[in-house]
Amino acid sequence: MLEKIQEDISLASRHIEVLRAVASHQPIGIIKLSELLTVPQHRVRYSLRVLESSGYIRASSAGAMVTPKAEAMFLHLNEDIEEIIQILNRMKRP
């Protein structure tokens, strides 16, 4: 039952890792991101597609760049993760 949640968290973690790399090295392309993160190009491409469709990055001729939505997400990321951790802690057996 929790396997799907674990997979989703792992995927979200990769998306955030890609987004952080884009923010730090923008504009940046798939090949450079793949080398930087040591993640296969097809996975980087998928993360970029998800991030772009969600409005966190935009494509340019020089490579991916973050949007103001990504910058706002980074401001609240720790608090959002902490909320998730609290929910998971409430699920634990007493």
Side-chain angles (χ1 to χ4, degrees):
M1 182 165 99
L2 298 178
E3 293 86 12
K4 176 70 171 123
I5 294 170
Q6 191 172 7
E7 289 173 16
D8 289 346
I9 290 171
S10 180
L11 185 57
S13 176
R14 188 179 79 222
H15 295 335
I16 291 169
E17 181 182 20
V18 168
L19 188 58
R20 281 186 176 135
V22 170
S24 297
H25 299 89
Q26 64 185 333
I28 189 168
I30 293 169
I31 295 170
K32 183 75 174 175
L33 276 168
S34 175
E35 293 170 354
L36 182 70
L37 299 172
T38 63
V39 173
Q41 288 182 28
H42 69 279
R43 290 191 176 161
V44 170
R45 187 176 294 110
Y46 177 72
S47 289
L48 290 173
R49 196 168 32 245
V50 169
L51 292 167
E52 185 176 19
S53 70
S54 299
Y56 292 110
I57 64 167
R58 66 176 179 81
S60 75
S61 59
M65 299 180 68
V66 296
T67 65
K69 184 176 180 178
E71 294 166 2
M73 188 271 302
F74 284 134
L75 290 175
H76 303 285
L77 183 61
N78 288 348
E79 292 88 0
D80 293 342
I81 290 172
E82 190 57 42
E83 282 183 40
I84 293 167
I85 290 169
Q86 289 175 12
I87 292 167
L88 293 171
N89 280 331
R90 287 194 299 267
M91 291 171 58
K92 287 182 180 178
R93 189 174 194 177

